[in-house]
Amino acid sequence: MNHFRFLARSLAALALAALLGTTLAARAQTPIVYSVKPGIDLANLDPTCKACDDFYQFATGGWQKAHPIPAAYPAWGTFNVLNDDNQNVLHEILEDAAKNTGAPAGSNEQKIGTYYRTCMDESTIEATGIAPLQPELDRIAAMTTPASIITESGHLSTLGVGAGLGLGVSSDQKDSTKQLVQISGGGTGLPDRDYYLKDDDRSKAVRAAYVTYIATILGYLGDDAAKAQAEAQSILALETTIAQATPPREELRDAAKFYHPTPFSDLAGVLPGVDWPSFFATAGVPAVSVVNVTLPDTIKAGIAQYTAIPLDTWKAYDRFHTVDAFANSLPKRFVDASFAFNGAFTGAKEQLPRWRRCTTAVNGALGEALGAVYVERAFPPAAKARALAMVNNLQAVLADDIKGLDWMSAPTKARALSKLAAFTKKIGYPDTFQDYSALNVTSGPFVVNVMRARVYQDHRTIARIGKPTDRALWGMTPPTVNAYYNPTNNEIVFPAGILHPPFFSDQNDDAVNYGAVGAVIGHEMTHGFDDQGRRFDEHGNRDDWWTPEDATKFTDRAQSINDEFNGFEVVPGVHEKGINVQGEAVADLGGLTIAYKAFERTAEAKSSVKREGYTPQQRFFLAYAQVWASQERDQAKAAQAQTDPHPEAKFRVIGTLSNMPEFQKAFGCIKTDPMVRAKQCQIW
Ligand SMILES: [Zn+2]
């Protein structure tokens, strides 16, 4: 089950951890420079707009004017700025590690340095071409029956290639102490079913770009142009059949829809047409007694295709998806084809510098080895202690808030309070960093290291089967500019990467820290009680602990938020889908409300002393809005509205604040102002 994050992972694509047995050589360190200075930057404001007319424009209009979107980015905002700042630190660490030929073989420094160096070594990548993937392509070429294609998808899943049936491991929703093997279907290359099924111009353009991409890749593998084009159309048709059997996104917010524990001995009856023991063996998964079948109807529809369509289409499908999964580790023509296709969702005009892409790659493969060095440099113990103190403050305030709710009954309040008190709080980085001793990183070519890293990760995942849930694991690396709530662990997690300006600084006044990182902390806490999180109890088990009356009252309130967000137009003709963004919108409103109540307890809030012309309360809301200073390309906005549970940044400000009397009072807004909703929603 997904973590409920603060923002889309793609926007925070970065990040990383502790050195087991080795430390990096001591080096002269340049001071870390953050682009955003602590406090409120008045230059970010647009004083020509009234705060009560459009607070987003008022608080961030100046920033937007001064910060056009760089060509290589789909969007540009303060999250990206901090992400790039963190990446600059990682870059320095990696350049040093790559140059240090004296690092002991097998040490984390050797691994991150070599991984990075082989990624940067474009001449070897070009010279080697596709050769390292040839054994995989030969396996696919050797398939002669539908059964062998199915078995091959089990093998491909060990390399991180999503091609048809897949296997995963996750916490048992009903007993979160256990890890359950799960079967998933899918294998579609576009990020949402609607891209296959809708006939608007945008969806048609995405499909056309996808067909071009598939045909290009198959052409690079040696198929002539006409054959590659025909294969691409057949693959699109195959994936469209699977998309038709996939429920729409809004139906997938219900975790119960993904939960069908099935005895292994019954699998052949529930999902006929597959030799399950062979499939599991090929995927390297040991014998288990129970398997979770995530979406049975979707999986069945996928299995039916193995016999319904020609073998050659499946072979082309497997070849394309295998190469696509490694495209960014291959010669330039593959990277360029992948970039051109992704442009349909990003609108980016050029590729990121190679060192940024390689830094991201090391973060993805060896994130906790790189992150360990990062936190040593960028996140001292004092910062961790301050962040934890803020988390504790907000937790106490949310408890008081729940006690005082007029719409929730005493029995539900008691359960909510015990859930809140049971939150696990993870700040900065894991107590114990991941052990990479089983991952061998060699002199290349790069794609070989990528394949090894995927297999290493797959083995780690499979090793969880049959063992108690390890609640110490982290789902993000330390430099990540993001945060999450994980319902099956009932935990809130704040990586070191987000605990820097403009979110957090010991040089900020309380108004700024509470309005910025306080809102992030409150947001993650509130996820424990949103439309998805509220279905899990204090132990992380899916359990309905709400009285029916309280559940109805919650749902009615959340519906008002849905209705509000349905009204926001992202690009002409594309609106936010309230039902899909409600969890995030509720968490924004609840989180900021709790952060504000916590701020009100500080000496600064009680002082009424203005700084830079603004009251403490006004500074709190300015800090919140400035975190969201951002601009996005139209392609990125449309893709976010279709595939991402997070609303656009602008609406996270306007939608949230227009429901908050505290904001309206701080800026003296009146009933008829646009930033004051006639009917204001309040949940927490
Ligand atoms: Zn969130």
Side-chain angles (χ1 to χ4, degrees), residues 140-176:
I140 295 166
M143 296 191 299
T144 53
T145 61
S148 60
I149 304 166
I150 295 175
T151 305
E152 184 63 14
S153 70
H155 167 72
L156 290 173
S157 76
T158 66
L159 289 167
V161 178
L165 283 180
L167 283 178
V169 180
S170 69
S171 297
D172 186 331
Q173 291 181 19
K174 288 289 192 179
D175 178 0
S176 66

Side-chain angles (χ1 to χ4, degrees), residues 159 303 314 350 371 384 554:
L159 289 167
I303 292 171
W314 274 110
E350 63 183 45
K384 182 166 174 161
F554 173 87

Side-chain angles (χ1 to χ4, degrees), residues 4-7 523-524 527 584 587 646 652:
F4 304 145
R5 302 187 296 270
F6 191 62
L7 79 165
H523 174 105
E524 299 309 337
H527 269 318
E584 297 301 330
H646 300 85
R652 296 183 78 164

Side-chain angles (χ1 to χ4, degrees), residues 125-126 129-130 133 323 326-332 334-335 447:
I125 291 171
E126 293 297 329
I130 196 93
L133 287 178
V323 174
F326 292 97
N328 289 323
S329 324
L330 293 172
K332 183 173 183 301
F334 292 92
V335 178
V447 67

Side-chain angles (χ1 to χ4, degrees), residues 76-288:
W76 188 249
T78 46
F79 280 88
N80 304 89
V81 172
L82 177 54
N83 192 63
D84 277 11
D85 286 347
N86 287 339
Q87 213 168 43
N88 293 339
V89 178
L90 303 181
H91 184 214
E92 199 175 279
I93 293 168
L94 289 171
E95 285 287 341
D96 285 348
K99 282 180 203 134
N100 182 7
T101 50
S107 66
N108 278 353
E109 181 170 19
Q110 178 263 319
K111 287 174 187 178
I112 61 174
T114 305
Y115 204 91
Y116 179 76
R117 190 172 59 240
T118 56
C119 179
M120 293 296 291
D121 182 2
E122 290 180 89
S123 61
T124 301
I125 291 171
E126 293 297 329
T128 316
I130 196 93
L133 287 178
Q134 197 56 50
E136 297 302 327
L137 299 173
D138 290 345
R139 281 176 64 106
I140 295 166
M143 296 191 299
T144 53
T145 61
S148 60
I149 304 166
I150 295 175
T151 305
E152 184 63 14
S153 70
H155 167 72
L156 290 173
S157 76
T158 66
L159 289 167
V161 178
L165 283 180
L167 283 178
V169 180
S170 69
S171 297
D172 186 331
Q173 291 181 19
K174 288 289 192 179
D175 178 0
S176 66
T177 64
K178 293 202 173 86
Q179 294 291 296
L180 204 51
V181 176
Q182 51 183 29
I183 297 174
S184 56
T188 47
L190 296 175
D192 190 82
R193 77 192 274 278
D194 285 355
Y195 286 123
Y196 293 92
L197 307 179
K198 281 168 64 175
D199 260 329
D200 59 293
D201 289 346
R202 206 172 280 280
S203 304
K204 282 196 261 190
V206 164
R207 288 199 291 274
Y210 189 40
V211 167
T212 299
Y213 177 47
I214 299 171
T216 302
I217 293 294
L218 293 176
Y220 291 161
L221 296 183
D223 297 354
D224 70 47
K227 185 181 179 204
Q229 186 65 27
E231 287 170 330
Q233 293 290 355
S234 300
I235 290 169
L236 180 70
L238 161 60
E239 295 189 10
T240 302
T241 307
I242 297 169
Q244 281 161 343
T246 305
R249 192 168 287 271
E250 52 267 30
E251 287 179 26
L252 300 179
R253 295 185 65 78
D254 179 2
K257 288 239 162 74
F258 291 88
Y259 190 69
H260 307 93
T262 305
F264 189 85
S265 53
D266 290 354
L267 260 190
V270 173
L271 297 173
V274 178
D275 176 354
W276 288 109
S278 299
F279 180 77
F280 273 63
T282 311
V285 176
V288 289

